[in-house]
Amino acid sequence: MSTLVIVESPTKAHTIRKFLPPDYRVEASMGHVRDLPRSAADVPPELKGEEWATLGVNVAAGFEPLYIVPKDKQKVVKDLKTALKTADELLLATDEDREGESISWHLLQLLEPKVPVRRMVFHEITEEAIREALRNCRDVNQQLVRAQETRRILDRLVGYTLSPLLWRKIAPHLSAGRVQSVAVRLLVQRERERLAFRKGQFWDLKATLDQRGTLFPARLVSVGGQRLATGNDFDPATGQVRNPDAVLLLDEAAANALRDRLLTETWTVTEQEERQQTRKPAPPFTTSTLQQEANRKLHLSAQETMRIAQKLYEEGYITYMRTDSVHLSEQAIAAARSCVEAMYGKAFLSPQPRQYTTKTKGAQEAHEAIRPAGSQFRTPQETGLKDRELELYELIWKRTVASQMADARVTLLTVSITAGDALFRAHGKRIDFPGFFRAYVEGSDDPDAALESQEVMLPLMQVGDILRCQALESVGHETQPPPRYTEASLVKALEQAGIGRPSTYATIISTIQDREYAIRRGNALEPTFTAFAVTALLEKYFPDLVDINFTARMEQTLDEISTGEVQWQPYLESFYLGENGLEQQVKERERTIESTEARAIALPELNAEVVVGRFGPFVVYQNGNGSEPIKASLPQDATPGSLTREQVEQLIRQKLEGPDKLGVHPETGEPIFLLTGRFGPYVQLGEATAANPKPKRASLPKGVSPDEVTLDLAITLLSLPRILGVHPETGKLIQANQGRFGPYIVHDPEGEKDYRSLRGEDDVYTITLERALELLATPKASRGRAKKQVLAVLGTHPEDGEPVQILDGPYGPYVNHGKVNASLPEGVSPETMTLEQALPLLAEKAPKKTRRSATATAPKPKSTTKKISTKTATKTAKTSRRKSTET
């Protein structure tokens, strides 16, 4: 008897194959095998005339979905059918979550097996887990399938109904999504708070005190019995103290006067307090907490974290990485406790096994938390893992082991000290027993926060002791606006609100950056002008769709569909159809939404209006003298949070008075101007005229502000590119220039260009021909950045004939064509990747001016009374597909 086992990825197939009997054949589906069409081109010929077909959902036929087989899955499906012909049994072993259940169901629909079928589920890939799963197979859970299908349909209805409205009212290539738009609104709301924020200033005193030769700090807390104002006492909207009569607000002069007075006082210990505190370890990781901690500690994005965790799971190192449960199996608890006892001793073991309860709405307690796989946990050193994979495994291992360790016991020390009528306090912390601190300390969003394991010692003191004031300084403070969201804090906010699911967080954050709703500055996510415009439109005309509570209730309803408590079809009907359904709302709002209003953004403190245009945001200034308004493009990296009044005034002045003239070029006699454009400040030689529409320009070097630009610097910048001379062997020119990635030299600039980046002491403005020849003689592979290893060449691109290849990068293999890179899909390895799979991935990542939006051809869906069966289309339709990003 032979058995065919189907999993999602080749890596998972390779790992699971080791634990199955020899007559079991394991094949990979390469992720999803069917999906809704992504554009009109994907619709089967027989359905081309149906307006609902591109939507992929026949609303009039009971929300019947149109499923198609992607082009890159045609061969996969064919091979699976061939393998099934020789099998006596089929085991569907896709992931244990709802998406995995959906993949199994789609496989059943496509393969139409004539042999017995069983659903095999496991949360880790170990021999014990696989054998246990073989003994406890079940049927495909139709309720889970229906819940996942409803989620997919709902996301498609929201995305394909609202996105075209945004294209028409604001700008092309925009998208809306059920969860995506709420996440963007969170970013915008936080930025609005920051823009409305007004700084408050306050001063206090810091003393350095001496107790028998030991120095320690103390802070002023009150004067004359009146509490000193702190940052929490200020109103962020006004920058003023909320209740001035309740606190003492010191300015610099008052703080200095108080300092001088207290230096002559006697410093006496008046009170000591010790407070014992017990710290409990954090629960094991869920998907969201893993993403948060990996972002804080390892500086990994949510997407990078999930890619690495996926690999660790498929190779048998950790349990399933998409879970919202903190539950640990008895086997896992025993393994963790064994590690604690072996590595730290019995004293560090919790008296009783710890079991954690999941508080997240809709969490699936049947699943486990993310932990090391197996009944015995391999230490990080025993795994043989390297680099990021080792770091993430170690993070998971430490968190899991720490969850079964003893509480940490800490004593918090507070000493009150008086000097005249002023009260100072010194704080210390003594760790009486480190407990789980020995293995793991949870990270913090506050980079200045001290680690929990750090002791702050105070010298031994008694009430009545006289201390010597070694130093006393006045310290000024400014209140700070609320911090921008990081990936970690945004994931935390979404999870706490009950929005989205573990498998969607990484995709949501990736999508809002790909769609240019947010940019990353450091570790923070900063919303763009487009995000402000889209959020304002949705808040005004579709408030429910960006309301956190409304979206959380939708999420809960989708969970209730998976348990049979709610029927999927009536829910979709109430949401989309009817007098107040989304379809009708869009029709009504479209007539009332003014495009000029939707694209305009009013920001506090700016004496102008910002408008989101087809080619980026620009500022509009009403001159006030009856003339046409003045328009000026904003720099490409300008955002509502970074644009200042001074920048706007400079752009307007440049339009009104012309650019700032720095002087005249000594050789050409042409004027040199300082301007600001879409890509930032630059200098220009001569005026732009009909005869000279593109005068010579040069961007300012990084770190140089417009105020620092002199005529000499401008002349130097405009000297590029410099012709260094002719190559003695080829007779071709050699130039030095400044590029996007720094200074470089190029040989044969008009023909087959050969580049070398400048490094170290080489200066683009002074480099000689002799030095350039030395650099050109150096092989490219041996200089600077290491040459990327080519893992596979897939073929040539049909548009330009350039190679499409797979390169090995610092975060794993990726597809490359020219300057366009794209990550490999989940579950696809370099060995199995094909040119047909690579082309749509590269098209999605290509610059917007060279690609069409994936949904740009989607018409606004209309109900139809004509019912057409989609069963035939299900089997014959073809398309390119990736996992849904419409959430």
Side-chain angles (χ1 to χ4, degrees):
M1 180 176 176
S2 63
T3 301
L4 174 63
V5 181
I6 301 179
V7 296
E8 294 96 331
S9 74
T11 304
K12 186 175 178 182
H14 174 75
T15 307
I16 195 176
R17 196 175 285 124
K18 298 183 293 186
F19 307 125
L20 292 172
D23 56 341
Y24 280 62
R25 177 178 175 180
V26 186
E27 297 292 341
S29 70
M30 311 301 291
H32 282 274
V33 289
R34 296 197 308 181
D35 193 26
L36 305 175
R38 298 204 59 202
S39 70
D42 301 328
V43 175
E46 63 271 24
L47 296 176
K48 289 283 188 185
E50 299 297 327
E51 293 188 17
W52 60 266
T54 303
L55 177 66
V57 180
N58 193 343
V59 174
F63 294 90
E64 184 180 4
L66 169 61
Y67 290 119
I68 56 176
V69 179
K71 274 186 179 180
D72 58 316
K73 296 301 172 66
Q74 294 279 313
K75 188 176 185 301
V76 173
V77 173
K78 182 180 178 181
D79 291 345
L80 291 176
K81 287 183 176 181
T82 301
L84 186 59
K85 289 178 181 177
T86 59
D88 300 309
E89 183 185 35
L90 173 62
L91 287 185
L92 299 170
T94 53
D95 291 342
E96 63 172 340
D97 60 5
R98 293 168 190 169
E99 197 156 357
E101 204 75 18
S102 179
I103 293 173
S104 285
W105 179 77
H106 282 290
L107 284 168
L108 275 179
Q109 303 304 304
L110 279 175
L111 299 180
E112 298 180 321
K114 302 296 189 293
V115 297
V117 179
R118 292 188 295 161
R119 175 80 169 98
M120 178 182 173
V121 290
F122 44 86
H123 66 273
E124 60 182 340
I125 306 177
T126 61
E127 184 172 7
E128 184 179 352
I130 297 305
R131 294 195 179 279
E132 179 68 18
L134 282 173
R135 291 192 293 268
N136 294 280
C137 290
R138 58 170 173 79
D139 294 331
V140 172
N141 187 320
Q142 295 296 330
Q143 287 184 334
L144 290 180
V145 172
R146 182 59 75 187
Q148 180 64 24
E149 185 173 59
T150 307
R151 182 183 297 272
R152 185 75 182 94
I153 292 172
L154 185 62
D155 290 340
R156 174 57 67 97
L157 293 174
V158 173
Y160 273 44
T161 305
L162 281 179
S163 297
L165 180 67
L166 298 180
W167 306 337
R168 292 188 287 270
K169 300 300 181 180
I170 298 179
H173 309 299
L174 300 180
S175 69
R178 182 177 60 86
V179 180
Q180 167 197 313
S181 296
V182 177
V184 171
R185 188 190 183 205
L186 288 174
L187 300 182
V188 170
Q189 286 178 319
R190 179 62 56 86
E191 199 66 33
R192 287 171 180 164
E193 292 173 11
R194 290 175 59 86
L195 291 170
F197 178 80
R198 296 294 175 268
K199 288 182 179 179
Q201 291 189 336
F202 61 99
W203 287 72
D204 64 6
L205 299 183
K206 178 185 176 183
T208 301
L209 303 177
D210 183 351
Q211 167 70 338
R212 298 174 185 173
T214 301
L215 302 180
F216 65 95
R219 285 275 185 179
L220 177 67
V221 294
S222 69
V223 179
Q226 191 171 21
R227 181 174 65 83
L228 205 65
T230 66
N232 293 332
D233 295 307
F234 286 80
D235 185 339
T238 64
Q240 303 298 312
V241 173
R242 290 190 182 92
N243 190 356
D245 296 331
V247 293
L248 174 64
L249 178 62
L250 295 179
D251 58 17
E252 184 176 10
N256 289 336
L258 180 62
R259 176 199 61 198
D260 296 341
R261 178 166 67 84
L262 295 181
L263 284 171
T264 62
E265 297 286 351
T266 301
W267 296 69
T268 308
V269 176
T270 55
E271 186 180 359
Q272 282 198 102
E273 180 186 0
E274 289 192 4
R275 183 163 54 92
Q276 276 69 42
Q277 192 176 70
T278 300
R279 306 283 177 84
K280 296 183 180 297
F285 280 130
T286 62
T287 301
S288 67
T289 55
L290 177 63
Q291 290 173 1
Q292 293 168 47
E293 203 71 340
N295 183 258
R296 293 170 190 153
K297 290 194 170 185
L298 306 180
H299 306 292
L300 292 173
S301 68
Q303 200 167 38
E304 290 166 339
T305 299
M306 293 310 293
R307 182 188 60 76
I308 298 168
Q310 175 88 29
K311 188 174 183 182
L312 291 175
Y313 163 68
E314 292 179 346
E315 292 180 349
Y317 290 105
I318 64 172
T319 54
Y320 191 53
M321 68 291 157
R322 290 192 179 95
T323 177
D324 45 15
S325 172
V326 293
H327 177 79
L328 286 176
S329 66
E330 295 301 321
Q331 171 187 281
I333 291 174
R337 294 178 70 82
S338 175
C339 282
V340 174
E341 190 169 354
M343 299 190 71
Y344 304 103
K346 282 189 176 181
F348 285 86
L349 196 62
S350 64
Q352 300 295 328
R354 295 185 190 270
Q355 189 58 273
Y356 297 86
T357 302
T358 304
K359 297 179 181 179
T360 305
K361 300 172 186 177
Q364 301 171 66
E365 290 291 352
H367 295 174
E368 263 201 274
I370 304 170
R371 62 167 177 86
S375 56
Q376 291 186 327
F377 294 167
R378 284 174 283 186
T379 64
Q381 294 73 27
E382 292 172 336
T383 61
L385 294 167
K386 295 180 180 179
D387 303 324
R388 291 301 204 185
E389 292 174 14
L390 175 61
E391 290 177 336
L392 193 64
Y393 178 84
E394 185 174 32
L395 197 64
I396 294 167
W397 184 90
K398 286 181 176 180
R399 177 95 165 208
T400 308
V401 169
S403 74
Q404 296 303 315
M405 294 180 72
D407 295 341
R409 297 193 299 275
V410 178
T411 297
L412 301 178
L413 310 169
T414 303
V415 178
S416 297
I417 302 147
T418 58
D421 62 346
L423 175 64
F424 286 75
R425 283 207 177 99
H427 298 279
K429 179 169 64 175
R430 183 179 69 242
I431 298 177
D432 302 314
F433 178 67
F436 70 91
F437 286 169
R438 280 285 175 87
Y440 182 83
V441 180
E442 189 172 16
S444 170
D445 279 326
D446 179 5
D448 297 323
L451 293 176
E452 295 289 352
S453 59
Q454 190 174 19
E455 287 189 305
V456 180
M457 301 304 295
L458 292 177
L460 186 64
M461 288 177 277
Q462 301 292 332
V463 173
D465 283 355
I466 304 299
L467 308 176
R468 189 163 68 90
C469 181
Q470 186 77 14
L472 185 61
E473 59 178 319
S474 54
V475 183
H477 305 274
E478 282 188 342
T479 56
Q480 297 299 314
R484 292 188 177 99
Y485 282 104
T486 62
E487 288 198 10
S489 58
L490 182 58
V491 167
K492 184 176 182 179
L494 291 170
E495 183 190 34
Q496 288 178 337
I499 295 172
R501 282 297 171 257
S503 59
T504 65
Y505 293 134
T507 302
I508 292 164
I509 292 173
S510 175
T511 299
I512 63 179
Q513 292 178 80
D514 289 345
R515 297 291 185 182
E516 298 182 359
Y517 287 126
I519 60 174
R520 285 185 66 166
R521 293 193 198 272
N523 206 29
L525 294 172
E526 189 172 342
T528 62
F529 288 105
T530 303
F532 267 62
V534 169
T535 297
L537 184 148
L538 295 177
E539 285 175 332
K540 183 173 182 179
Y541 296 101
F542 305 94
D544 284 349
L545 292 181
V546 286
D547 179 76
I548 290 178
N549 294 326
F550 180 83
T551 308
R553 288 195 298 272
M554 291 174 68
E555 205 74 62
Q556 186 175 355
T557 302
L558 290 169
D559 289 337
E560 290 168 351
I561 291 171
S562 70
T563 60
E565 299 172 63
V566 173
Q567 296 301 308
W568 70 278
Q569 198 168 2
Y571 175 69
L572 288 177
E573 287 175 355
S574 66
F575 173 80
Y576 193 71
L577 301 176
E579 289 185 9
N580 201 35
L582 179 61
E583 183 183 44
Q584 186 61 31
Q585 284 187 46
V586 170
K587 289 178 181 177
E588 292 175 357
R589 307 294 193 272
E590 180 149 19
R591 292 191 293 267
T592 59
I593 298 174
E594 290 290 339
S595 182
T596 51
E597 175 194 347
R599 295 163 58 212
I601 302 162
L603 296 175
E605 300 299 316
L606 295 186
N607 189 28
E609 186 177 59
V610 176
V611 176
V612 175
R614 187 179 186 87
F615 302 105
F618 59 92
V619 64
V620 179
Y621 175 71
Q622 302 295 338
N623 207 6
N625 58 5
S627 60
E628 288 293 316
I630 298 167
K631 300 177 181 179
S633 295
L634 291 176
Q636 198 173 37
D637 62 348
T639 61
S642 66
L643 187 64
T644 65
R645 187 186 186 97
E646 292 72 27
Q647 285 176 297
V648 171
E649 289 175 350
Q650 181 185 3
L651 290 169
I652 299 303
R653 187 173 64 252
Q654 185 175 293
K655 285 285 186 177
L656 282 171
E657 304 172 2
D660 294 335
K661 184 178 176 180
L662 297 172
V664 175
H665 198 286
E667 296 176 7
T668 68
E670 295 175 280
I672 297 178
F673 300 106
L674 175 64
L675 303 99
T676 300
R678 264 189 81 194
F679 303 102
Y682 63 94
V683 290
Q684 176 178 296
L685 180 61
E687 296 185 24
T689 63
N692 183 26
K694 293 184 178 180
K696 191 172 186 179
R697 294 172 175 173
S699 297
L700 301 194
K702 189 175 182 181
V704 176
S705 70
D707 296 336
E708 300 172 301
V709 180
T710 63
L711 177 60
D712 289 340
L713 175 58
I715 293 170
T716 302
L717 295 174
L718 289 166
S719 69
L720 299 180
R722 293 175 55 223
I723 297 177
L724 304 182
V726 175
H727 199 291
E729 296 177 7
T730 65
K732 303 293 186 181
L733 288 177
I734 300 175
Q735 280 185 355
N737 205 351
Q738 181 82 23
R740 182 181 173 191
F741 302 107
Y744 65 89
I745 58 170
V746 57
H747 172 223
D748 191 10
E750 303 298 328
E752 296 184 8
K753 299 177 179 64
D754 185 14
Y755 293 94
R756 295 291 187 277
S757 295
L758 301 189
R759 294 287 185 269
E761 298 179 358
D762 291 320
D763 188 330
V764 68
Y765 299 107
T766 60
I767 189 170
T768 64
L769 174 63
E770 290 72 25
R771 174 57 178 155
L773 291 172
E774 288 179 23
L775 292 174
L776 289 168
T778 305
K780 285 187 177 182
S782 64
R783 61 181 175 87
R785 195 180 303 167
K787 187 176 181 180
K788 296 288 191 299
Q789 181 185 357
V790 178
L791 302 179
V793 177
L794 304 179
T796 58
H797 199 285
E799 292 182 4
D800 57 14
E802 292 295 317
V804 176
Q805 51 196 356
I806 298 179
L807 303 180
D808 189 18
Y811 301 112
Y814 61 93
V815 181
N816 164 263
H817 167 241
K819 295 182 180 180
V820 181
N821 300 321
S823 300
L824 267 63
E826 196 173 286
V828 177
S829 67
E831 295 78 18
T832 59
M833 190 70 179
T834 65
L835 180 63
E836 289 73 21
Q837 290 174 281
L839 292 178
L841 296 174
L842 292 167
E844 182 66 26
K845 290 293 183 180
K848 289 182 178 178
K849 64 181 181 180
T850 62
R851 65 173 182 173
R852 288 186 78 185
S853 169
T855 58
T857 54
K860 187 171 65 169
K862 294 183 179 179
S863 299
T864 175
T865 56
K866 184 178 180 181
K867 295 187 179 181
I868 295 181
S869 172
T870 57
K871 292 182 179 179
T872 303
T874 300
K875 297 178 183 179
T876 60
K878 304 174 183 179
T879 190
S880 298
R881 187 233 179 248
R882 67 176 185 175
K883 281 190 175 181
S884 168
T885 60
E886 291 153 18
T887 59

